[in-house]
Amino acid sequence: MMRIAVCPGSFDPVTKGHLDIIQRGSRIFDKVIVAVLINRNKSPLFSIEERVQLLREVTKHIPNVEVDSFEGLLIDYLREKKAHAIIKGLRAVSDFEYEMQMASINRLLEEEIETFFMMTNNQYSFLSSSIVKEVAKYEADVSTLVPPIVELALRRKYEEQKEK
Ligand code: PNS
């Protein structure tokens, strides 16, 4: 049986912390589908298409990683993709409560699906897309936090916003 895992998230935008989790997950599972949530209640900085595109660029060297988007319940998406595992990164104790709640509800909805948590590399334990956006907005250096293509996309996005 092919072991397929889904790594879900908002990825607005993808950071080096996300990439670390995706990379490590790809060594454990036969296929990892990175799935960007389409959430109509949020106003993200990057559109779904932009986030998917950035993720495709930064994972193109990993042959068993696919990038997609989904709407609705994560568990339904896993069923559609015939996936049996969810991969999540845990940065700090503060992530634990929310992640435990999500893993528990997902398990209740579909007991065949397992959530796998990976400790984020210490280097990225403080890192989030929100922090990256905050720093990039004020034109500070984010090169240690995101891949170069994301750094460029952030710079362009904030320049566009300034021009408006
Ligand atoms: O990067 P994020 O924003 O922390 O990712 C959260 C995500 C996408 C993993 C989570 O919001 C999710 O799975 N949403 C889909 C809806 C769902 O299945 N919710 C859980 C049951 S109520």
Side-chain angles (χ1 to χ4, degrees):
M1 189 177 75
M2 194 161 170
R3 290 165 307 167
I4 306 173
V6 171
C7 181
S10 302
F11 303 103
D12 186 36
V14 56
T15 67
K16 285 191 177 177
H18 293 133
L19 199 51
D20 172 55
I21 295 294
I22 297 167
Q23 235 148 7
R24 283 158 54 202
S26 74
R27 290 187 210 122
I28 298 164
F29 292 93
D30 297 318
K31 181 156 106 177
V32 173
I33 305 172
V34 182
V36 186
L37 175 70
I38 303 171
N39 186 345
R40 298 185 196 276
N41 302 321
K42 272 194 183 174
S43 23
L45 180 64
F46 291 98
S47 70
I48 276 286
E49 294 75 20
E50 289 170 326
R51 282 178 275 159
V52 166
Q53 194 50 40
L54 287 173
L55 274 160
R56 285 200 178 127
E57 278 292 325
V58 301
T59 59
K60 67 180 179 200
H61 61 290
I62 323 174
N64 60 335
V65 169
E66 258 179 46
V67 184
D68 191 16
S69 56
F70 77 105
E71 195 165 8
L73 280 183
L74 177 60
I75 228 71
D76 288 335
Y77 180 74
L78 268 97
R79 285 187 187 126
E80 182 194 318
K81 293 289 167 184
K82 301 196 178 352
H84 289 94
I86 298 167
I87 303 179
K88 300 290 312 256
L90 272 185
R91 287 167 299 192
V93 181
S94 51
D95 280 345
F96 185 77
E97 209 169 351
Y98 171 73
E99 293 298 346
M100 199 176 110
Q101 194 182 11
M102 295 294 274
S104 306
I105 188 76
N106 285 332
R107 198 195 183 97
L108 195 78
L109 294 170
E110 175 57 77
E111 62 179 23
E112 294 293 309
I113 286 170
E114 283 295 341
T115 304
F116 287 82
F117 291 105
M118 272 185 278
M119 293 303 297
T120 301
N121 190 318
N122 284 346
Q123 212 181 335
Y124 307 126
S125 59
F126 63 93
L127 188 53
S128 69
S129 299
S130 311
I131 291 278
V132 166
K133 284 183 279 192
E134 188 74 20
V135 174
K137 191 173 166 181
Y138 297 104
E139 294 168 31
D141 181 15
V142 289
S143 59
T144 54
L145 313 178
V146 294
I149 188 171
V150 177
E151 189 186 357
L152 189 68
L154 279 160
R155 206 174 308 141
R156 285 205 183 124
K157 187 63 84 176
Y158 286 119
E159 269 164 23
E160 265 169 38
Q161 285 191 351
K162 254 199 249 165
E163 283 160 18
K164 275 184 195 164

